[in-house]
Structure formats: structure tokens, C-alpha cells
Amino acid sequence: MKKTLLIFAALFISLHSMADEGMWLPFLLKQMNEKEMKKDGCKLSAEDIYSVNKSSLKDAIVQFGGGCTGEIISDKGLLLTNHHCGYSQIANHSTVEKDYLTNGFWAMNQKEELPNAGLTATFIVRIEDVTTKVNANILSSYTEAQKDSVMKVNIKAAEKEAMNGTGYEAFIRPFFYGNMHILFVTEVYKDVRLVGAPPSSIGKFGGDTDNWMWPRHTGDFSIFRIYANKDNKPAEYSPDNIPYTPKRFLTISLKGTEEGDFTMVYGFPGRTQEYLFSDAVDMTMNESDPVKVSLREKRLGIMNEFMKADDKTRITYAASYASIANYWKKWMGEMQGLQKFDAVNKKKEFEQKFISLVSADPLQKEKFNTLFNDFHKVYAQYKVLNKQMDYYSECLSGINAIAFARYFDKLTDATRKKSSTLKQELEKAKTDVARFHKTYNAAMDRELCTAMLDMYMKGLDKTLRVPSVDSMMNANGNDSRKVTDYLFANSALLDATKITTILNDYDNSSAKIESDPLYVLWKQINSYYNSKVRPSFTSYDVQLNGLYKVYMKGLMDVYKDKKFFPDANSTLRITYGKVKGYTPHDGAIYKHYTTLDGVMEKENPNVDEFIVFPKMKDLYAKKDYGRYADKNGKLRVAFLGSNHTTGGNSGSPVLNANGELIGTNFDRVWEGTMSDIMYNPEICRNITLDVHYTLFVIDKYAGAGYLLNEMKIVQ
């Protein structure tokens, strides 16, 4: 008994020593976090942060597009987010003649602001625990499949009830692997216009070299504006729309930050997996991440060569390249962090301690020993399928030609079924073809195809490869170049004139698409994965989710005093910590902020990532920082915090103890990227763009100071 208590005490301490860890649901702050936050220095109440009864900070936070966060910073709907979050919009508006990526863009009045088709800003209206509703009418005697079927009906009914007569949208997400279900009611604005973006020499300063790194000197921000109809409600783009009047916008503070100050990040973190079993961590660290990194590294190398050689290609593929590069480097850091932190063994140790704690009850001991054995069995099969899926998503789908071929699936399907949607699908196909060929670089894709086919054959055992790919390679002496040449020479899909002619005479030419060698290859690949891989992969996913649901409940039952936070799943969260430096490795200490001095130290006119434009040099030489300088006359660029963040938190507001905006979250440090799986308070840090630098660039560099007149700025 004494030994068990000692084990429990050690584990209890380890669970509670993770200072600043957690991504918390804002509607539960009152009972979960308010006292702790105030102890750390927060001067706000839970009601100030989240409320359905009055205006609160949540009303100034939006999900920007599908994967970032933005914040409202004026009473005219001005929205601040990251440069990399607005990157695809900036790229879409760029041409060789108007290169907004390189030179930046600033609307000097509202008429010059640029619309962005498909871009949305989503506000949270309210959040509600609907676990009881979702579990209604589920009997203990039901199988898992029966339970799942009833839950789906209940979820659909609860979502419909929340939306009825409101004009709002709603969705329900599972938390803690289905032990809890939460309803989110949202209001989605669909007219979001580009207002301003700094040049890449500021917004992407440091490029891939500095990405995920500290010290950091990137002015990673862009500005948009939300528009609404005359009733301030969501509307599709129209020249008649007017700037949105928000329920709340953030006050901007120029008081500055110092080490130890309270900070809070409010946003939409994408995905974390903090409660993974040791087998899953091992698979991620030693198998999945290495495969994905090697495949993306090859793709990036080829893309970089072509983008450097041609401005049109650079602009066209800029957003795609940035997206591929971002997680390529993240996964490298994640692997190294997990290895350095000895994550697999720590997870195993945790699991054994858990078993020790439940062993006092023979039934519980048997239950969780069986559960752990089931985890081992499922992951032994799952990791094989996961490798196949990695090669599908990162290798075969990394070939633009193959990815393009899938566009024709709905058209050919509608043709075979003589569907009433055929005309609609044909028009869509014509639009897709025109869009694809307008920007497609066939020479680059030839190199990608050759390289990816080669890596596919070398990376996967024959028993795991698509048979038709094997056959095609064997027929060409396993020479991926010959296969590529054959596909590109014989596919009408890759010839803009030929495929346009086919579509314009589709009644007589539809068979040409179905027999096209590239389309045939895509169909064979798709058929193999849909019939041989995905069903088993999905089945194991379902099994794992069931195992994790039991495991998660067990953890919460055993550690009743621990405050568990749910994994991130792109829903609104609060995370809080302190302004804080760190020690990345022996002999090195990183302070908590950087300045414009560091930009000049890194400047290299011969390296695109470190170019500094003359105007910035001039402002630096004159020390023309205005009210944005700190007490030592320095212009701060970025600072570190111990807030627990992940992808999706990009663009999130970083707030001080009073709830005032002090910066914009844009990255994490290299050594702490494993925080999606295992958080280490000693080295996990989020990187924030200091609002002083943001305002300095808008005012002094861009000459768009009129925008500051909309903002509420306190000194």
C-alpha cells in the first residue's frame, strides 16, 4: 500500500508540474481556471473572457478561413491575423506586374480593399455542453455500432435545433475521445477583404531558415476587413456591403511586456494528441514523421529550383510551397524533440504507473491490461496502413498531374449514370481545367512525378504498393523517368488545348477521358486505396477511438483532482502563461524578446530570405521608431511566452492581464514542436509578433497610419 501511494504521489506531481500547459474551453473557465489565472496575474473574470449574456473578448475573436485565427481591432471590422494566414489571398491578387508578395500591398482607403472569394470569418455565438442530449436513448446493451448510430441521429437533431430560426450555423464536436460532446453555434461572415500586407522582406523575413526557430525577426501579419449587409448580418460579397460593426474589438496596448508578465492566447488551435498511447508516439517519431519529412524535402527541393528560375512560377506556387515547407520543418523538430525528451519511454512509464494504480482492484487491473494489449495489437496493424496512407498523401498525391486527374471523377461518374447533374459537372470541369492550366508548370511536375514514383517504389514493400503502379514501372524497366515521359506524352488532360477540345465536344469525346492513361492510373490508385487500404484504416481508427475513450475515462476517474484539458480540434480555446525565455540546450540561454537590431544583423542581400528593403534600413539608421520604441530606445519585433499553442493558433491575439492586445501569435520554437504530443514546460514556447512592430510597419514603413485612427491604442 505504501509503495502504491508513493507511485501515486510521484505521478500526481508529474501531472501537475506542467505549468502553463493546456488548451481550455472558454465557457468552462469559471469552474476550471479562473482562480489559477488570477493567481498568475490575470485581472479579468471568466465572464469578461467568455459570456453569452454580454459583450466579451470572445466576440472579438474569429476563425480566419479554415485554419487560422484573427482578431477584430476596430469598430469598423478591421481584422488582424498573420501574414502566412493571409498568404494565399495575397498571392491570388499578385501578378508579375503587381507583385504584392514581394512588395506588399496597402489599401489607402476602403474602395481599394480587395475581395477574396471563399474567405470567411467565423464568430462563436455560444458554446454548450450537450453530452446528455447526444447520449440520449443509448442503452448499455447496445453494440458500439448501435451506440454510434443513435449518437449520429442525436447530434444531427441537436444541431438542427440550435440553428432553427436563428440564421446561425452549428456543429457538435466530440471531446476526450467521445466522453463529452460540445455544441458550437457560429455566425459566418463571407465578405472579407484584404486591407494591407507588408512585403515578404518583413512578413516572411527569415523564410524557411528561421521558420519554427528562435531568435525570430519576422513581421508576420496582414490586415483584412469584414463586410456585412446594411443590417450588419453576413452576406456574400457585394459592392453595397458596409464595414462590419463588431460587438467587441480589442484595445491595443503599447505599455510593453517584460519577463514574467501574464499572457493569454485566445484562438482556434487545430490538433493536438496529448493522451496518445506509447505505441502511437513510437510510430509518429520513428516511422510516420521520417517518411513525411523525406518526401516533402524532395518535393520542396524540386519546387525551389523552378520557382527561383521563373517569377510567374514563384508567385503561382508560393502558397503551396509555404504550406508544404511549414509542416516539413515542424515534423523534423517534432521528431528531434520527442527523441530528446525520451517521449516513448516516458509514455510507457506513465502507462505502467497507471496500471499499478488500478491494480488494487482485480477487475480494473484485468480491464486495463486487456485494453493495453488491444492497443498493442491494433497499432501493430495500424502502422502498416498508416505508412501506406502517408505514401498516398505525401507521395502519389504530391504529383500535381495525379491530383488533377481526380477532378474528373464526378464528371465521368455523372456520365455513366446519365445523371441530371452532368451539365453542371461539365461546366465545373471546364472551369477547373482553365484554372489548372493557367498556372500549371508541366516541366516542374515532370520532375516531381519522376522523383515521387522513384521514392514510392523504394519506400514501400511490394505487398503494400498499388499493383497498377508496380505493373507500369515493371513494363518500363523500373525507370520512373520513362513512366513519367509516357504519362505526360500521352495524357490529353495535361494538354490544355486537347482537354478543352474534348470537353467542348463532350457528347462525342467522353470516352477519351475514361481511357486517358493518367486518368486510368488515378482511378486504379483510388480504387486500390478505397478497397484495400481505407476500409481497414478506418476500421482500426474506429477501434482505436473506442480504446482511447475507455482509457481517457480511466485517467479522469483515477486522477480526480487533475484538471484535464481536451485535445485541440479547431474549436475556440484559451491558453495562458508568462512572457518567458528558455534554455534550448547546454550553454545557451535565449532571452524573451528580439529587436530590429537583429533584423539588421541577419540582413544578407544575396539571400532572398534575409533581404532588407532600403526604407527599413533608413528608418533603422535614423532610429525613427516614434512611440513604438521601448524604454531603451529599441524597437522590439517578437517575444516568447509559455502559452501552449499549435497550428490554428496562428494569428491568435496575445493578450495581457487586462485583456489588451500586445501581439499576434505566429509560431513555436523548434525545440518545443513536440508539444502537440507531449508538453515540456522547460522548452515549449510560443512566438509572438510584438504589436509595437506591427504598428510601426503600418505607420512608419507603409505610410498607412490612417488605419491606426480606427484603433483604440493605450500607452
Side-chain angles (χ1 to χ4, degrees):
M1 181 67 178
K2 189 174 182 180
K3 184 178 180 182
T4 301
L5 287 173
L6 287 172
I7 292 171
F8 176 78
L11 190 52
F12 184 84
I13 290 170
S14 72
L15 282 167
H16 285 263
S17 64
M18 299 290 105
D20 307 325
E21 182 183 14
M23 298 175 179
W24 306 95
L25 287 160
F27 82 118
L28 296 177
L29 290 179
K30 183 73 175 177
Q31 56 264 50
M32 295 286 287
N33 310 93
E34 188 177 50
K35 288 182 180 178
E36 185 180 88
M37 291 174 71
K38 287 191 173 182
K39 185 179 178 181
D40 282 351
C42 184
K43 294 179 170 54
L44 302 172
S45 68
E47 186 83 355
D48 293 328
I49 297 169
Y50 172 89
S51 176
V52 294
N53 301 311
K54 65 175 186 177
S55 168
S56 62
L57 287 178
K58 81 160 171 61
D59 299 314
I61 316 300
V62 302
Q63 187 169 44
F64 181 80
C68 280
T69 303
E71 53 269 17
I72 309 302
I73 56 172
S74 87
D75 61 358
K76 295 181 177 63
L78 208 60
L79 184 155
L80 178 65
T81 189
N82 287 156
H83 185 269
H84 75 261
C85 291
Y87 198 69
S88 61
Q89 282 75 37
I90 302 165
N92 287 341
H93 290 297
S94 295
T95 63
V96 174
E97 295 74 28
K98 293 182 179 180
D99 189 351
Y100 298 141
L101 287 176
T102 299
N103 302 315
F105 168 81
W106 297 96
M108 289 304 168
N109 55 64
Q110 289 179 14
K111 290 182 180 179
E112 294 181 357
E113 295 171 2
L114 302 176
N116 302 279
L119 181 61
T120 58
T122 302
F123 290 89
I124 298 295
V125 177
R126 64 182 174 89
I127 309 173
E128 180 186 343
D129 185 344
V130 292
T131 307
T132 302
K133 286 184 178 180
V134 171
N135 290 327
N137 303 315
I138 295 178
L139 303 179
S140 58
S141 59
Y142 282 0
T143 65
E144 286 301 316
Q146 288 172 322
K147 290 177 183 178
D148 184 62
S149 178
V150 175
M151 287 173 68
K152 286 178 179 176
V153 172
N154 291 343
I155 286 171
K156 188 174 290 187
E159 291 173 341
K160 184 178 179 181
E161 180 187 2
M163 290 186 285
N164 278 347
T166 65
Y168 297 142
E169 297 182 16
F171 61 88
I172 292 171
R173 292 266 171 84
F175 289 76
F176 299 117
Y177 293 96
N179 283 292
M180 176 186 281
H181 284 84
I182 305 295
L183 168 73
F184 294 84
V185 179
T186 65
E187 189 166 33
V188 183
Y189 283 78
K190 301 176 181 179
D191 186 354
V192 184
R193 305 181 195 179
L194 177 63
V195 175
S200 289
S201 63
I202 295 173
K204 275 181 66 68
F205 184 80
D208 292 328
T209 301
D210 276 5
N211 193 20
W212 302 99
M213 306 299 286
W214 186 262
R216 197 67 176 277
H217 300 87
T218 312
D220 195 348
F221 78 94
S222 56
I223 298 178
F224 291 76
R225 191 187 303 278
I226 301 173
Y227 280 75
N229 65 19
K230 60 183 178 60
D231 298 318
N232 207 40
K233 292 297 182 182
E236 298 291 343
Y237 168 79
S238 168
D240 297 328
N241 287 345
I242 58 177
Y244 166 70
T245 302
K247 297 175 185 176
R248 180 73 168 260
F249 65 92
L250 299 179
T251 296
I252 298 172
S253 172
L254 290 180
K255 297 173 187 174
T257 57
E258 297 302 335
E259 191 152 25
D261 285 354
F262 176 86
T263 59
M264 175 172 66
V265 178
Y266 209 166
F268 292 84
R271 186 169 185 248
T272 58
Q273 297 174 290
E274 302 293 338
Y275 307 103
L276 279 183
F277 198 70
S278 55
D279 294 46
V281 178
D282 184 60
M283 178 185 72
T284 299
M285 182 176 78
N286 294 314
E287 297 186 37
S288 185
D289 278 358
V291 165
K292 292 185 291 188
V293 165
S294 65
L295 290 167
R296 288 202 175 195
E297 187 168 340
K298 175 61 74 172
R299 287 163 64 193
L300 288 168
I302 293 169
M303 291 176 73
N304 189 47
E305 287 181 17
F306 282 87
M307 290 169 72
K308 279 186 174 181
D310 177 61
D311 279 342
K312 182 182 177 183
T313 302
R314 173 181 58 80
I315 292 169
T316 298
Y317 287 90
S320 175
Y321 182 93
S323 177
I324 296 167
N326 190 42
Y327 267 77
W328 160 71
K329 193 165 185 179
K330 186 264 185 182
W331 289 324
M332 282 196 290
E334 182 174 81
M335 280 189 296
Q336 292 184 20
L338 290 171
Q339 290 164 357
K340 184 176 180 180
F341 199 36
D342 196 22
V344 175
N345 286 326
K346 278 187 169 64
K347 284 284 187 180
K348 288 179 178 179
E349 185 180 329
F350 177 89
E351 290 153 12
Q352 287 308 307
K353 287 179 178 178
F354 174 80
I355 289 292
S356 297
L357 286 174
V358 300
S359 290
D361 182 338
L363 291 177
Q364 288 293 92
K365 180 181 179 181
E366 183 181 356
K367 172 183 175 180
F368 284 103
N369 272 325
T370 300
L371 183 80
F372 282 17
N373 285 332
D374 287 343
F375 267 128
H376 294 316
K377 290 175 185 175
V378 174
Y379 271 116
Q381 300 299 319
Y382 185 81
K383 66 180 182 181
V384 176
L385 296 162
N386 190 69
K387 186 174 184 178
Q388 286 179 290
M389 293 303 295
D390 282 343
Y391 271 93
Y392 172 79
S393 61
E394 298 293 338
C395 186
L396 296 179
S397 295
I399 302 167
N400 294 324
I402 289 179
F404 175 57
R406 76 178 67 176
Y407 284 19
F408 296 91
D409 263 358
K410 288 186 178 180
L411 175 61
T412 56
D413 189 51
T415 305
R416 285 192 300 273
K417 294 178 179 178
K418 298 181 180 179
S419 170
S420 59
T421 64
L422 177 57
K423 185 176 180 180
Q424 177 184 336
E425 293 299 338
L426 181 58
E427 291 307 310
K428 184 178 183 302
K430 290 178 181 178
T431 301
D432 289 340
V433 164
R435 185 186 299 117
F436 177 79
H437 280 287
K438 182 180 179 182
T439 59
Y440 181 54
N441 188 316
M444 183 177 79
D445 203 30
R446 276 178 176 270
E447 295 303 315
L448 285 170
C449 186
T450 301
M452 290 301 98
L453 288 175
D454 191 48
M455 293 186 77
Y456 183 79
M457 297 298 290
K458 291 177 180 176
L460 276 181
D461 185 79
K462 180 179 176 62
T463 59
L464 303 178
R465 297 196 296 257
V466 180
S468 56
V469 174
D470 252 6
S471 298
M472 186 173 286
M473 289 292 291
N474 289 335
N476 287 274
N478 287 316
D479 187 334
S480 56
R481 174 70 64 184
K482 286 184 179 179
V483 173
T484 298
D485 289 344
Y486 167 76
L487 289 171
F488 278 67
N490 292 281
S491 174
L493 307 187
L494 301 182
D495 185 311
T497 301
K498 287 181 180 179
I499 185 58
T500 301
T501 300
I502 290 172
L503 293 176
N504 286 337
D505 186 30
Y506 191 68
D507 288 343
N508 299 311
S509 306
S510 59
K512 292 182 180 179
I513 293 179
E514 298 226 34
S515 62
D516 186 275
L518 182 62
Y519 182 72
V520 169
L521 177 62
W522 152 247
K523 290 295 288 184
Q524 291 168 337
I525 292 170
N526 193 45
S527 175
Y528 174 80
Y529 275 90
N530 282 342
S531 62
K532 303 294 184 182
V533 183
R534 282 197 182 93
S536 297
F537 189 73
T538 302
S539 175
Y540 284 126
D541 256 338
V542 171
Q543 290 182 54
L544 285 171
N545 195 68
L547 296 176
Y548 276 113
K549 184 175 182 179
V550 176
Y551 182 41
M552 195 75 237
K553 189 176 186 307
L555 290 175
M556 292 189 286
D557 286 344
V558 169
Y559 306 114
K560 294 183 184 298
D561 294 327
K562 174 177 167 56
K563 295 176 181 177
F564 284 88
F565 64 92
D567 276 323
N569 58 1
S570 295
T571 57
L572 188 63
R573 306 293 181 91
I574 283 283
T575 178
Y576 53 92
K578 300 286 182 73
V579 175
K580 196 173 184 179
Y582 73 110
T583 299
H585 48 78
D586 184 47
I589 298 175
Y590 284 157
K591 69 180 182 181
H592 60 283
Y593 70 92
T594 59
T595 70
L596 189 59
D597 292 357
V599 173
M600 298 307 160
E601 289 169 0
K602 288 180 176 179
E603 188 217 354
N604 186 339
N606 299 314
V607 179
D608 289 345
E609 294 176 334
F610 296 101
I611 289 173
V612 179
F613 283 1
K615 187 168 185 179
M616 184 64 82
K617 291 183 185 181
D618 185 55
L619 290 166
Y620 176 74
K622 294 176 180 177
K623 300 295 183 284
D624 186 9
Y625 306 150
R627 59 175 171 163
Y628 312 115
D630 67 13
K631 61 186 178 183
N632 298 315
K634 301 286 188 179
L635 178 61
R636 298 195 183 186
V637 173
F639 64 87
L640 291 173
S642 59
N643 305 280
H644 190 180
T645 61
T646 188
N649 276 126
S650 291
S652 295
V654 181
L655 309 169
N656 63 16
N658 297 313
E660 298 162 338
L661 184 70
I662 54 176
T664 313
N665 182 80
F666 72 96
D667 209 350
R668 285 174 284 166
V669 300
W670 174 258
E671 297 82 5
T673 50
M674 84 292 188
S675 62
D676 288 348
I677 294 172
M678 186 173 283
Y679 185 86
N680 181 347
E682 298 302 316
I683 58 173
C684 290
R685 296 288 181 270
N686 68 301
I687 305 176
T688 300
L689 172 62
D690 196 309
V691 75
H692 292 81
Y693 194 55
T694 301
L695 297 182
F696 163 80
V697 171
I698 295 170
D699 185 3
K700 295 284 187 175
Y701 183 89
Y706 80 95
L707 292 171
L708 275 62
N709 296 333
E710 294 184 29
M711 305 173 196
K712 182 180 179 182
I713 302 172
V714 295
Q715 198 69 38

